[in-house]
Amino acid sequence: MRPVIFDLDGVLVDSEPVWEEVRRAFVADHGGTWLPETQSRLMGMSTGEWAAYLAELGVRLPPDEIAAGVVAQMAERYRHGVPLMPGAKEAVARLAEHRPLGLASSSPRALIDVVLDATGLGAFFTATVSTEEVAHGKPAPDGYLEAARRMGVEPGDCVAVEDSSNGLRSAAAAGMRVIAVPHPRYPPAPDALALATAVARTLDDLTPDLVDHAA
């Protein structure tokens, strides 16, 4: 059975609206200007990358303080409950029955661990990667390549599950087949969606048969 590597934000956790709310407010509170394209540009960036980008928007703090402030607010939100996508637990458990699972996320390690511990999903994953731990965030392939390396599998043997434009580009650049599960509020660009081997409308559609078909 082909290994499957999940994205986290927007695939398993409905966190993109929370990220947008927290970062938009942080920018406004610290003298920056949120642009129409800001959210789409941020999706998939590593922590260092998005903190530097928010500084470019006029936030009057150094990037490390921006990252610490935003992540602290996100952790506080998660302490009141992790907003899992509908069917997330079931999809992960369904696929974990017959194949190894990995995770390649743009979230900082601290938030990944909070989510996996709070939801019990951590037990299903052989390896997890934050793009903090590699040289480049999505759309570069680094996170997916590192997840495959930690799992002890070849990237070309893997199927990735992604929602965002940068995530789809990242997994495809790693040489993986990709199943897109587009977020209804943040749909991927048409050229990125075209990289997907298969498209699932919801996580309920993410079945072993679909994975095998995508492979």
Side-chain angles (χ1 to χ4, degrees):
M1 294 293 183
R2 288 186 180 269
V4 173
I5 302 179
F6 281 89
D7 175 42
L8 184 65
D9 295 296
V11 172
L12 298 178
V13 181
D14 194 13
S15 54
E16 295 296 358
V18 185
W19 275 109
E20 180 176 4
E21 182 180 335
V22 168
R23 288 191 289 211
R24 184 187 285 265
F26 193 92
V27 168
D29 291 345
H30 293 85
T33 302
W34 190 270
L35 303 175
E37 69 273 15
T38 292
Q39 178 61 20
S40 62
R41 289 192 60 183
L42 287 169
M43 293 174 71
M45 285 186 180
S46 68
T47 304
E49 289 167 342
W50 61 250
Y53 176 67
L54 295 189
E56 293 175 6
L57 297 182
V59 174
R60 297 188 295 267
L61 291 171
D64 59 339
E65 292 185 25
I66 294 173
V70 170
V71 170
Q73 291 185 30
M74 287 295 297
E76 180 63 25
R77 295 287 290 270
Y78 283 165
R79 277 191 278 273
H80 295 285
V82 177
L84 285 177
M85 295 292 288
K89 285 187 176 180
E90 294 81 0
V92 170
R94 187 163 57 239
L95 294 186
E97 289 182 4
H98 301 294
R99 67 194 75 229
L101 302 184
L103 185 78
S105 174
S106 298
S107 276
R109 169 56 64 184
L111 290 184
I112 293 173
D113 291 345
V114 167
V115 169
L116 295 183
D117 289 346
T119 61
L121 289 174
F124 293 103
F125 292 101
T126 303
T128 64
V129 175
S130 165
T131 53
E132 284 185 331
E133 300 159 358
V134 296
H136 303 288
K138 302 173 184 179
D142 302 35
Y144 277 104
L145 293 174
E146 178 63 11
R149 188 192 70 78
R150 293 184 187 183
M151 294 171 72
V153 298
E154 291 297 322
D157 292 336
C158 297
V159 176
V161 182
E162 267 288 356
D163 67 304
S164 69
S165 296
N166 283 340
L168 291 163
R169 294 177 182 126
S170 173
M176 299 181 182
R177 293 164 175 82
V178 193
I179 297 174
V181 189
H183 192 288
R185 184 170 169 181
Y186 306 103
D191 68 297
L193 188 60
L195 298 171
T197 311
V199 179
R201 187 175 59 85
T202 70
L203 288 174
D204 291 337
D205 299 327
L206 187 62
T207 63
D209 285 345
L210 182 63
V211 171
D212 293 339
H213 174 72

